Amino acid sequence: MECITWFAPILPGKLEEWKALDAEMSGSRREEHARSRKRMGVTREVASLVQTPQGDFVCLFHEAEDLAKAFQTLATSDDPYDVWFREHLVSLHGLTAEMLQGPIPATLHFDYRDAG
């Protein structure tokens, strides 16, 4: 299993829109989001809001058997939910489908796991 933690900026003036998207993904579109992540092969996804003097960011954790394949699946999917989600990635974070196709947006340097 692979995992990655990475940050995406929330573009200036987009914080409330990001919060609304977050509420929609975990509320009325929760099942669609779960199906999307299942298609991607993602077994865990965590998003945290980080507010700094340099701006607002979302800190993301993703876990999957093959992270590159997961991001490529999202980047190329024609599923209506995935298309809707990608549109929000562009408008809220400036991330494009091309950026999701690789390489993965962060490089893992350290991964401690308790052997017990």
Side-chain angles (χ1 to χ4, degrees):
M1 193 68 63
E2 299 176 337
C3 65
I4 189 171
T5 303
W6 59 292
F7 281 82
I10 298 173
L11 298 176
K14 298 286 188 167
L15 180 58
E16 293 309 312
E17 188 179 337
W18 179 83
K19 288 179 179 180
L21 173 71
D22 181 58
E24 196 169 347
M25 289 183 336
S26 58
S28 64
R29 299 192 86 159
R30 186 178 185 89
E31 289 180 23
E32 290 173 276
H33 190 78
R35 283 192 299 270
S36 170
R37 295 320 183 250
K38 191 170 287 275
R39 276 192 302 280
M40 292 170 61
V42 170
T43 55
R44 187 157 183 220
E45 178 179 52
V46 177
S48 302
L49 175 61
V50 179
Q51 297 183 286
T52 75
Q54 291 75 30
D56 300 321
F57 297 85
V58 59
C59 176
L60 298 152
F61 172 85
H62 286 100
E63 183 177 75
E65 281 297 324
D66 186 337
L67 285 167
K69 182 179 176 185
F71 282 96
Q72 289 172 353
T73 298
L74 178 61
T76 59
S77 172
D78 60 0
D79 177 84
Y81 179 85
D82 294 339
V83 171
W84 172 83
F85 187 79
R86 278 196 314 266
E87 289 171 356
H88 282 84
L89 290 180
V90 171
S91 70
L92 295 173
H93 305 290
L95 299 174
T96 65
E98 293 77 23
M99 294 168 82
L100 295 172
Q101 290 187 47
I104 294 172
T107 304
L108 180 66
H109 283 268
F110 183 77
D111 183 5
Y112 168 79
R113 295 176 191 221
D114 183 0

